[in-house]
């Protein structure tokens, strides 16, 4: 695959007379933009991983909200918070003002579909004096600082919203790297933003190539065409020197989602039959070659408190007989293990009496159909804490009647009540308990079958230092990342 990528990572910016010339980073990402780099959907993590966008807060390794564009905040009452901004500028030269921040959050709140971080939440942001933003929520929201750390709630300048219906992050964000050129779904160029409030980044820029083929990403790292390559396939891990592969425990769970809204899996008994047919331990051992743990729930081992609070699923139906029921099982190949997982599942489900047709596409060509409920079953690798860092948020977005990322098409009144109760719980321990009670309800529907909890392998060149590998997969390149 090396000749295919040759030349793709030539320097896209910076001057040859610059003392830092040659220090641009070359990065291979697995997922091309699916929504024209809109910050409101899955593309938002592309922008945060590359150091382009920021929100009012950030999430540290312990899952705690920390300052970003907001230097501090305080809760005024159960529905109102006051955030004090730091001095910062947008990449187009305009200042980060309370009015600009309030406008950016208003655009996010009005987006259709709503960003996952705002699932079930209404908020109003208003400028307060010269340096404050007062945010009021429709109902008490004890995790608002966590919520505002979501990549989908990035703050952009007024210029980003000039085109009606579109949001343009090119040159309008606040991070250490400025997106300067996007070549469709194939490549992007970023230059260092020298006026970044957090200090000058050590690399002069980033040249990004979107490479859906995992073998090609590994080959590009091995042949020194890239400095960083995300989502290295487990089958390729052994081809890399040990010093160039970093396995990070993540909050990502790969699950089998069953379409409970229509088709064969509208029948809970057939969902139970599919769940019983799945052998998750064989997937962890054989497909992931030890770089994963067998699925135990929506949250895996990286969510350290979950195992001690987990209870048995509630309300499971009896197992029905598939009787040759025809189902379409879909997944995507950006994460190279997923087609193999799907192939193993096809064999297991066929053996149980289903008639399975397998469909594999690149994610950007699959997402809209998956959200529209066009597949009977879907294999999804989902970072359960990426949207907000709050364990309840993924439940609301993925498994409630009004959830914006409800691929399983689940609409169950008991689940909705359990999730709503968790959302209302304010203290940390109680919220965790309520989240696990909601998980038990969700697993009881058999609309989701947890398969494995992943460790993500990132390829990091030996000359690279300062790569930001976190369990939430929100970061990759920061001001200290260099070669």
């Amino acid at each position: 695959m090396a000749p295919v990528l040759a030349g793709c990572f030539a320097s896209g910016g910076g001057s040859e007379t610059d003392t830092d010339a040659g220090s641009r980073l070359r990065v291979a990402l697995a997922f091309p933009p699916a929504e024209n780099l809109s910050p409101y959907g899955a593309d938002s993590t592309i922008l945060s991983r590359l150091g382009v966008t920021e929100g009012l807060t950030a999430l540290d390794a312990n899952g705690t909200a920390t300052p970003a564009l907001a230097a501090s905040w305080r809760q005024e009452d159960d529905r109102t918070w006051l955030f004090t901004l730091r001095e910062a500028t947008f990449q187009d030269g305009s200042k980060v003002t309370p009015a600009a921040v309030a406008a950016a959050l208003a655009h996010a709140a009005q987006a259709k579909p709503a960003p996952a971080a705002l699932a079930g939440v209404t908020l109003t942001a208003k400028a307060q004096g010269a340096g404050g933003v007062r945010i009021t929520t429709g109902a008490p929201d004890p995790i608002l600082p966590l919520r505002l750390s979501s990549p989908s709630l990035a703050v952009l300048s007024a210029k980003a919203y000039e085109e009606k219906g579109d949001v343009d992050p090119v040159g309008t964000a606040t991070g250490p790297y400025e997106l300067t050129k996007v070549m469709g779904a194939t490549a992007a160029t970023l230059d260092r933003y020298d006026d970044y409030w957090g200090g000058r980044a050590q690399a002069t820029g980033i040249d990004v190539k979107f490479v859906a083929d995992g073998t090609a990403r590994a080959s590009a790292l091995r042949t020194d065409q890239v400095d960083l390559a995300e989502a290295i396939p487990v089958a390729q891990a052994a081809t890399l020197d040990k010093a160039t592969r970093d396995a990070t425990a993540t909050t990502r769970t790969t699950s089998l989602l069953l379409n409970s809204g229509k088709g064969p899996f509208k029948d809970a008994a057939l969902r139970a039959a599919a769940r019983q047919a799945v052998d998750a331990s064989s997937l962890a051992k054989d497909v992931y070659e030890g770089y994963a743990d067998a699925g135990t729930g929506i949250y895996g081992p990286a969510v350290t408190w979950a195992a001690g609070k987990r209870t048995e699923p509630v309300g499971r139906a009896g197992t029905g007989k598939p009787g040759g029921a025809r189902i379409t099982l879909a997944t995507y190949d950006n994460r190279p293990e997923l087609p193999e997982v799907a192939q193993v599942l096809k064999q297991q489900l066929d053996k149980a009496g289903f008639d399975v047709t397998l469909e594999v596409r690149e994610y950007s060509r699959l997402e809209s159909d998956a959200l529209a409920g066009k597949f009977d079953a879907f294999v999804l690798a989902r970072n359960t804490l990426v949207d907000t860092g709050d364990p309840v948020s993924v439940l609301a977005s993925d498994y409630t009647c009004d959830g914006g990322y409800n691929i399983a098409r689940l609409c169950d009144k008991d689940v909705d009540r359990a999730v709503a109760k968790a959302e209302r719980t304010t203290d940390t321990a109680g919220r965790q308990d309520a989240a696990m009670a909601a998980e038990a309800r969700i697993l009881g529907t058999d609309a989701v079958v947890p398969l494995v909890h992943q460790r993500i392998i990132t390829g990091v060149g030996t000359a690279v230092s300062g790569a930001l590998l976190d369990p939430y997969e929100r970061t990759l390149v920061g001001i200290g990342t260099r070669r």
Side-chain angles (χ1 to χ4, degrees):
M1 300 299 294
V4 175
L5 298 180
C8 291
F9 292 91
S11 177
S15 168
E16 289 302 319
T17 60
D18 193 322
T19 57
D20 293 46
S23 67
R24 294 179 65 83
L25 290 166
R26 303 161 300 167
V27 177
L29 298 183
F31 290 86
E35 300 158 338
N36 297 317
L37 285 176
S38 165
Y40 300 143
D43 290 355
S44 63
T45 54
I46 295 176
L47 298 171
S48 71
R49 286 171 69 75
L50 293 173
V52 176
T53 55
E54 300 173 298
L56 289 180
T57 63
L59 200 65
D60 70 12
N62 296 317
T64 301
T66 59
L69 290 176
S72 63
W73 54 89
R74 60 183 173 88
Q75 187 171 11
E76 296 183 325
D77 58 45
D78 61 354
R79 298 193 303 114
T80 309
W81 300 70
L82 181 64
F83 291 80
T84 301
L85 304 181
R86 68 172 73 252
E87 288 193 14
T89 59
F90 292 106
Q91 293 159 353
D92 61 10
S94 61
K95 288 187 176 182
V96 176
T97 63
V101 172
L105 292 175
H107 282 289
Q110 295 162 8
K112 301 295 181 184
L118 292 181
V121 175
T122 59
L123 62 79
T124 303
K126 293 184 178 180
Q128 181 66 31
V133 177
R134 179 171 282 113
I135 300 178
T136 304
T137 55
D141 188 18
I143 58 102
L144 184 65
L146 279 177
R147 193 181 303 283
L148 293 173
S149 74
S150 170
S152 65
L153 299 183
V155 174
L156 304 177
S157 71
K159 183 179 178 182
Y161 310 103
E162 289 179 349
E163 294 293 329
K164 187 175 181 180
D166 292 324
V167 184
D168 187 3
V170 176
T172 60
T174 61
Y177 290 100
E178 177 182 353
L179 190 62
T180 57
K181 187 176 182 182
V182 180
M183 286 72 88
T186 60
T189 301
L190 297 83
D191 291 336
R192 180 172 60 200
Y193 178 50
D194 288 338
D195 292 328
Y196 177 56
W197 63 264
R200 199 166 180 249
Q202 293 187 28
T204 58
I206 309 171
D207 298 309
V208 181
K209 184 70 176 176
F210 299 106
V211 185
D213 187 295
T215 301
R217 290 195 300 277
S219 176
L221 184 82
R222 197 168 50 246
T223 56
D224 195 33
Q225 294 181 58
V226 302
D227 304 302
L228 292 165
E230 71 171 0
I232 296 296
V234 294
Q236 293 293 315
T239 70
L240 300 178
D241 292 337
K242 188 175 181 180
T244 64
R245 63 179 192 262
D246 196 315
T248 307
T250 72
T251 55
R252 180 173 297 278
T253 296
T254 296
S255 300
L256 173 64
L257 301 174
L258 303 177
N259 187 340
S260 61
K262 65 179 181 179
F265 289 128
K266 188 173 182 179
D267 183 348
L270 288 189
R271 297 199 299 271
R275 184 248 310 155
Q276 283 203 340
V278 171
D279 179 7
S281 61
S282 68
L283 296 173
K285 179 182 177 182
D286 298 331
V287 177
Y288 287 88
E289 300 179 17
Y291 284 102
D293 301 294
T296 54
I298 293 171
Y299 314 104
V303 185
T304 54
W305 50 263
K309 294 175 178 282
R310 179 163 286 121
T311 58
E312 289 296 315
V314 176
R316 273 183 169 161
T319 304
K321 294 184 178 180
R326 295 182 178 180
I327 61 172
T328 300
L329 170 63
T331 194
Y332 45 101
D333 54 11
N334 306 75
R335 298 191 180 277
E337 296 81 20
L338 296 188
E340 188 175 352
V341 167
Q343 185 61 50
V344 173
L345 291 177
K346 171 178 164 51
Q347 295 169 3
Q348 293 177 350
L349 293 169
D350 280 338
K351 185 177 180 180
F354 292 95
D355 183 359
V356 183
T357 299
L358 188 59
E359 186 163 342
V360 178
R361 301 182 208 160
E362 191 271 322
Y363 183 81
S364 64
R365 298 178 54 243
L366 195 71
E367 183 187 58
S368 60
D369 284 348
L371 290 172
K374 293 186 178 180
F375 307 116
D376 300 305
F378 193 84
V379 179
L380 176 73
R382 178 79 156 119
N383 193 318
T384 57
L385 298 186
V386 70
D387 293 324
T388 64
D390 170 50
V392 182
S393 298
V394 72
L395 306 183
S397 66
D398 290 21
Y399 303 111
T400 62
C401 296
D402 296 327
Y405 201 67
N406 190 353
I407 292 176
R409 315 293 284 182
L410 180 62
C411 189
D412 181 286
K413 61 182 181 180
D414 291 328
V415 167
D416 276 21
R417 277 196 290 264
V419 173
K421 180 180 179 180
E423 289 178 318
R424 292 192 300 269
T425 306
T426 58
D427 68 286
T428 300
R431 195 173 182 87
Q432 292 170 352
D433 290 339
M436 298 311 293
E439 183 201 61
R441 284 283 180 189
I442 293 166
L443 294 179
T445 69
D446 285 326
V448 54
V449 182
L451 301 175
V452 296
H453 306 296
Q454 291 178 249
R455 302 181 196 115
I456 298 299
I457 306 170
T458 306
V460 182
T462 54
V464 176
S465 62
L468 304 178
L469 308 179
D470 72 287
Y472 312 104
E473 300 176 80
R474 293 180 172 193
T475 60
L476 181 63
V477 177
I479 60 173
T481 313
R482 63 171 300 161
R483 65 180 172 96

